[in-house]
Amino acid sequence: MAAEWSVLLLTCQRGGCVSAFQRELEARRLRGGLGPRPPALLLAVEDPWARLGSGGATLNALLVAAEHLSARAGCTVVTSDVLREARILILHMGRDFSFDDCGRAFTCLPVEEPGAPAEALVCNLDSLLGTMTHRLCVGSPPGVWVCSTDMLLTVPSAPGIDWDGFQGVRVIAVPGSQAYARNHGVYLADEQGLVRDIIYKGTEAQIQQCAGPDGTVPLVCGVVFFSSDAAEQLLATHVIPPLDACTYMGLDSGAPPIQLSLFFDIVLCMAGGMTKEDFVKGGGDASVRSARSVLWTALRAFPLSMACIPNASYDYMTTSASDHIRSLTLLPGSASHLRFCKTAHSHVDPCLLEDGSSVTNCLLEGAVRLAAGSVIQHCHLQGPLEIGPGCLLSGLTTGSSLALQGCPLRDIVLQGHHIQLRDLLCRVFTLTGRLDDWQSPAEEATYLNMPWAEFFHRTGIREGDLWDAETPRRSRCLLSARLFPVLHACEALGLEDVLWLLDPVAAAGERLARWRAAWRMSWQELLPCLDKAAELAARRALFFLQGQHKVRRVLLGCQDSSLLPLARSAVHEGYHEAVLGMLDEVASTAGDAGIAARALACIADVLGCMARGEGGLRSGPAANREWASAFRRLESGDIAGGVWELAAERQKWMSSAALLVRAARHYEGAEQILLRQAVMSSCQFVTVGQAELPPLGHWVQVACPARLDLSGGWSDTPPITYEHGGAVVDVAVLVDGCRPIGARVRRIGEPELRLVSLGGTPQSEVAVELVCRELEHLRDYCQPHAPGALLKAAFICTQIVQFPSQKPLRAQLMESFGGGFEVHTWSKLPHGSGLGTSSILAGAVMASLYRAAGKAASTESLIHAVLHLEQRLTTGGGWQDQVGGLVPGIKIGRSKAQLPLRVEVEKIPVPNGFTQTLNNHLLLVYTGKTRLARNLLQDVVRNWYARLPSAVQNADALVSNAEECAQALRQGNLPLIGKCLDRYWQQKKCMAPGCEPLAVGRMMEALRPYVYGQCLAGAGGGGFLYVLTKGPRQKEALHQILAKTEGLGNFSIHSIEVDTGGFAVEVMGCDPKDGAHPREDVAV
């Protein structure tokens, strides 16, 4: 579940680049970071005054939300009625932050979210949005949630807040130690959970009074909820002076500014232990006291309750560098929905990072070593560099690397900033110590972790260089010290102009003179000049620069990381050309057809993302003539030339969604060319020997069993089979007592190829007959739906016919064989049966062709020859079908994660009598539904190339389930085999969603009580269902059960039995019915 927001508002300080923050909100909507139903209104709201306070910012944001909702409702004035059913979330950015130029909300966390739809940096804002939307606010009534962004908040998945009968206002608290509470706020509540008081930095006695039985106290964590009634009353105060001054309307009306706190000026008035007199008198000046009086009148009647969330945690983001580094290098609590990692969205050698360090959004090239307890964010650096413990580096570019080499970096904070001085944009570097305090007077404090007096002595810098003479001594602090060079009259400034402060002896007087000659600013003066938009843009650019390195690393390293989320982000943020360029480069230089194929598939994904869900389906034709030249280059083996020609053609197809989708289809077509080349490396495992040439007119006949895939299917499918590795348990089976698939071939006197498709048996009438007399008649062998395509491909793959060739077909046939060939094929199984018909038929045809041409091939050779044929035919497909139909009995086929692709088959020994037990318990049910496997295959390959986490995990599960099934068969354990079948069916549905038609689901549900396990054969979607029954010989019983089940259509039940003999090659007489000639077993 998730809270569904009507409005989401992010408030920022005046002059705080509101447009940049609005862009950040919109980016999160685009990449799916705001949930499946993002808010209708996303608003970044600038405070009307510089020091408005959290209370004033809340009232102004509430007015803005109500105004927008009123306009959407067709009203011409603001009406509070729009708040009745609204669900509003207000997030306050608050004050500037010493360690992040974009504030605490946009402080990046060392987190990666591999399951996110789009890849992006995770900021504290994102963490809080996730906590509020998916945890804290779930189940709350309509109203207004207000949340600060100045803390790291962790909440368990089920916070256990009771909303029954809720009225008024509720504050959220987290349990904390009494020691921590001394510097923070705590709630004093009664036994009913009603708040009596809010105590800030209280005495030990006051804090002890708030403690619960376990000794913890309820900490104020910056989150409060106003019911719609309370929100209406709060909104009504925006027109009453002096509260009108809190809103932009007050600014526009000339009202004098006022500063209000959310908790101590608004929420506190509802605390049960507060009197009006004490509350009003607590205001600072007359205007605040007047405002408190108005708020008391408006809100006092509402009960103020507290929900303290067990196992939640709260960590305020202080101005202490030690605290900040600690928060980024320690794992968050177990209740967190985030998991911190050492490197997040970074290109870096992890071996150079000590445990307890953290790198986020960085590109670290070469030997950049990072000690424990140090953090690097948003940096592009080149080694060799040594960064000692206790450091925070941020915002540094490659130009800084030389200055850092050999520099003693330990316990320092070094940051690069984007500064805007009116129309002048520049870079400024700041350097402080980890232990420094920003606001303590100089005589009591440190700079670069040493007393100021020592610093002055070491550097030659004087107090007068940093502070004006009239600055009071108590105001002379690090915050106001003009330490940081901004501009120089004659020279460009760089990182070295602050780094010399770490080693002033080496720099002598030259650096000091240069430093004095520069125009310098204090951190206090720099803060209003920070260019947040430029900083966010620089982080974005660096993110996609390291993203390009990730593309190269993942593809060349054959890693199972998905690049699709990065592609989506690149499209959303306008960096798609950079990502496409990197993919082109990898594809053209990899020197590996498998890697290049995956890179082309990724380009197709980027183009699909650019279409933004429009332009049609991703699957479709890919044979437009404009792409033919590039395809020919790829077919010829010129991968680099083909890739760059594809890229040039791509530029012509970028102007509309429809063109982008069509371009994506052609990239998938190009990927298939390279995939075929990778799979055809298996040809080296095809060995063909010589055999006696059968007499002219004598038939060579092959009959094959069907196959049942008991587990592991899809793991045999290229490219999964050679990128991940595959394992499939198959059984060769007779259907209704016979081998249902077969072929026969004979040589004939005429130099032509007669291709005949019979009905269901060798004795059936001719269904389709085709005669090929010219090589041109074979040209469509690679178009699977062309008449006789499989048989044409078989002649070419067995090299009986050379194609293409300058020599005519008739001449080839006469010179080599003294005539032509006639081929008959048959199958008793319906189209799309799921029993491996086409691949097994290809094996039968190739076995009979080899023998009829005077050649012999082993079963292993035939398995790999069929792989080759199906790639030439362009149907793709894996190896499990031919393994299942050409190797007898029960076996497991395996392939390793490598090229060339080689399939190894191991027969599975079963206990004595268990084969007959299987025969008695296995049944085949024809569902009456025809499977459309081609689209399923395209989707599976696309998802695998995208390395969707679900596809990768499922591939692992398929292989492990196959090994478990093989073990269950060795034990003869029917219940365990049934579990493997059921698990296998779930895995098939995960791999190819939509492969279970409704009628099949009903059928399986009806049979479930009577079977150990069941599964649709093959890819699913229809065809045959096989079941492992609990009782033996259940054919009639199951028929009666299904006959009573509604909505099944035409089903039929068939007996099956394990074929332990396997297929055979028989040389027969001229009459195919004549069985007098001896049977020849194929070599194994």
Side-chain angles (χ1 to χ4, degrees), residues 161-457:
I161 304 174
D162 182 9
W163 293 103
D164 287 347
F166 172 77
Q167 291 181 317
V169 176
R170 175 166 284 166
V171 292
I172 303 299
V174 301
S177 70
Q178 295 183 41
Y180 188 83
R182 291 188 194 117
N183 292 310
H184 297 277
V186 291
Y187 294 111
L188 176 63
D190 62 20
E191 292 181 356
Q192 285 72 44
L194 294 174
V195 176
R196 304 284 302 162
D197 198 1
I198 305 175
I199 298 166
Y200 181 65
K201 292 188 177 180
T203 64
E204 280 195 38
Q206 288 175 312
I207 294 171
Q208 178 63 40
Q209 191 181 4
C210 302
D214 61 356
T216 63
V217 293
L219 297 171
V220 176
C221 71
V223 181
V224 59
F225 174 71
F226 294 85
S227 67
S228 53
D229 286 338
E232 283 188 52
Q233 287 299 311
L234 178 60
L235 176 65
T237 66
H238 87 273
V239 295
I240 305 174
L243 287 169
D244 60 338
C246 293
T247 70
Y248 81 93
M249 287 187 176
L251 172 68
D252 292 348
S253 302
I258 184 173
Q259 183 175 3
L260 288 181
S261 161
L262 172 61
F263 286 91
F264 294 104
D265 291 320
I266 296 179
V267 173
L268 186 60
C269 73
M270 294 171 277
M274 188 62 57
T275 67
K276 181 175 182 179
E277 182 179 3
D278 288 342
F279 176 68
V280 173
K281 281 183 179 178
D285 55 29
S287 62
V288 174
R289 290 195 294 272
S290 176
R292 284 189 165 204
S293 180
V294 174
L295 290 166
W296 180 278
T297 303
L299 301 175
R300 179 60 185 178
F302 292 104
L304 178 64
S305 59
M306 178 190 74
C308 190
I309 312 299
N311 301 315
S313 66
Y314 159 86
D315 192 3
Y316 180 73
M317 299 170 75
T318 70
T319 56
S320 161
S322 296
D323 287 350
H324 186 60
I325 292 171
R326 176 190 53 78
S327 69
L328 295 177
T329 52
L330 290 179
L331 295 175
S334 59
S336 176
H337 58 287
L338 300 173
R339 289 291 173 264
F340 282 15
C341 48
K342 188 190 296 185
T343 61
H345 305 293
S346 295
H347 178 75
V348 58
D349 183 350
C351 298
L352 301 176
L353 310 181
E354 291 185 10
D355 290 343
S357 61
S358 171
V359 178
T360 303
N361 194 35
C362 287
L363 180 53
L364 305 182
E365 300 173 291
V368 180
R369 298 183 179 277
L370 186 63
S374 284
V375 174
I376 308 182
Q377 294 196 328
H378 316 301
C379 289
H380 182 185
L381 298 173
Q382 292 176 327
L385 294 176
E386 290 273 352
I387 297 156
C391 293
L392 170 63
L393 274 62
S394 177
L396 305 180
T397 60
T398 45
S400 305
S401 300
L402 190 59
L404 286 169
Q405 289 177 12
C407 192
L409 300 180
R410 185 186 185 95
D411 291 325
I412 59 100
V413 177
L414 182 58
Q415 302 177 85
H417 311 274
H418 293 269
I419 300 296
Q420 183 165 11
L421 303 169
R422 297 195 177 178
D423 296 330
L424 179 64
L425 303 177
C426 57
R427 294 274 288 157
V428 173
F429 299 95
T430 59
L431 175 68
T432 56
R434 178 176 64 85
L435 304 176
D436 298 344
D437 184 277
W438 286 98
Q439 293 181 297
S440 295
E443 56 261 27
E444 304 169 10
T446 62
Y447 178 55
L448 297 179
N449 309 308
M450 69 183 82
W452 277 98
E454 182 182 340
F455 170 75
F456 291 144
H457 175 72

